[in-house]
Amino acid sequence: MAGSEPVSVGGVPVPVPGYGAWLRRGISRNGGPVVEDREVVWLQAGLYYADSRGFAGTTSVDGSQVRFHHLRGEPGEDVGVFRWEGVNLVERGTNADGSTFLEIWTPLSGAAGAAGSWSGPDHQVVRVGRHVVHVDSDAGTYWRL
């Protein structure tokens, strides 16, 4: 799959397995207002993902739910369900601690081209087109090539 188009599982859009570069437009925590307090980029390359907030790992699909298994950086796991709202992909989910979130993602231009994921003992890198996110035990870093 190319670009940032999610596949459909039971009529529900899920961004894996696939390739996409996404910019977060807002987040609501535990039912609060939708805000955006920093730039957050999420890259998905097949079953591997990296989030510029500082976590990366693998994804799996269980019915309409997508599980993000954090293997690098911030420990944990979160589960989300996706749906389209216009051009945005909206994710509703639950973190490992039971807190809830709603995130609004929009596709980034420049996602076509080379894509893949590489990892070492303490880091994971995901590239999708012109976008790269590197995650290690200290932080997540985003670059646009």
Side-chain angles (χ1 to χ4, degrees):
M1 175 177 14
S4 295
E5 294 295 319
V7 296
S8 180
V9 175
V12 176
V14 293
V16 292
Y19 298 86
W22 302 89
L23 175 66
R24 190 176 74 185
R25 292 294 185 195
I27 184 169
S28 167
R29 294 177 176 88
N30 296 313
V34 175
V35 298
E36 188 50 67
D37 53 3
R38 62 181 168 165
E39 179 182 73
V40 174
V41 171
W42 157 40
L43 301 181
Q44 188 76 44
L47 295 177
Y48 299 93
Y49 76 91
D51 188 300
S52 64
R53 288 173 284 187
F55 52 92
T58 60
T59 51
S60 61
V61 178
D62 181 12
S64 64
Q65 295 185 330
V66 178
R67 291 192 178 279
F68 292 88
H69 311 279
H70 302 203
L71 303 178
R72 301 284 185 274
E74 180 183 308
E77 180 174 291
D78 54 89
V79 179
V81 175
F82 293 85
R83 75 173 189 286
W84 282 110
E85 283 190 7
V87 298
N88 296 316
L89 188 61
V90 177
E91 176 187 11
R92 290 184 185 273
T94 305
N95 294 307
D97 65 3
S99 62
T100 61
F101 62 89
L102 177 142
E103 290 180 294
I104 302 168
W105 300 94
T106 191
L108 283 166
S109 63
S117 178
W118 304 266
S119 62
D122 64 348
H123 69 278
Q124 183 168 330
V125 178
V126 173
R127 176 179 180 183
V128 177
R130 297 179 60 192
H131 307 280
V132 176
V133 172
H134 173 275
V135 175
D136 59 30
S137 58
D138 293 324
T141 306
Y142 165 67
W143 295 281
R144 183 175 174 108
L145 304 175

